[in-house]
Amino acid sequence: MTQYDVDMFVAEVDQLVTQAGQAHGAERVELLARAASSAIDPLRRIELLMLVADAAGRAAHAAAGSARKGEGRPQGEPVTYEQIGIAAGLTRDVVYRQHVHGAALSWPPARRGVSTGRSAPSRPQGEAEPRSEVPT
């Protein structure tokens, strides 16, 4: 690959990142993903992929808010945290906490394939999980 080709890819990546900076939601995710795909430098690709992950979580958070309001739904019917959890692969409680108290939706570390270093259950066997007071 010639220096000209590399420079062309760098310019394209920079242009996509600039466009992503002005976009929101799924459009931002798409632009950042295209930039990451075009990046030649592995460190730049890592940076962009991390931005994709962050943008995707924030876009999912915004989509959950819209869904809760019934925006874009048949007859404007709002969805429950349980329905969002099913769509996102999360529990209702996690969706509620992340939506109400956070800025993004994300899978827990184990679901992402990340070891937390814990080998034992967090509560003694046989002990019931605490009941949640999460609205539906």
Side-chain angles (χ1 to χ4, degrees):
M1 188 175 282
T2 67
Q3 185 61 39
Y4 173 76
D5 293 337
V6 171
D7 291 342
M8 187 175 68
F9 275 105
V10 169
E12 179 184 346
V13 168
D14 289 344
Q15 182 182 22
L16 288 167
V17 170
T18 299
Q19 290 174 3
Q22 299 167 359
H24 300 283
E27 182 183 3
R28 177 175 170 78
V29 173
E30 179 185 352
L31 290 166
L32 288 169
R34 286 178 42 208
S37 178
S38 297
I40 294 171
D41 180 345
L43 293 177
R44 181 70 164 144
R45 181 171 283 163
I46 291 167
E47 174 192 7
L48 292 168
L49 289 170
M50 295 304 292
L51 289 172
V52 169
D54 178 68
R58 291 174 187 278
H61 185 275
S66 295
R68 289 285 297 160
K69 296 175 191 170
E71 295 171 0
R73 298 276 304 153
Q75 290 84 38
E77 183 181 334
V79 300
T80 65
Y81 285 114
E82 188 163 349
Q83 290 171 307
I84 295 168
I86 291 168
L90 297 168
T91 67
R92 177 191 69 193
D93 295 347
V94 169
V95 170
Y96 173 77
R97 283 193 309 273
Q98 289 183 1
H99 185 251
V100 173
H101 303 293
L105 296 185
S106 64
W107 285 341
R111 179 83 189 262
R112 289 180 279 142
V114 177
S115 172
T116 60
R118 295 167 70 178
S119 60
S122 58
R123 57 185 154 291
Q125 274 191 320
E127 187 176 315
E129 187 171 325
R131 286 193 42 88
S132 169
E133 300 301 321
V134 176
T136 58

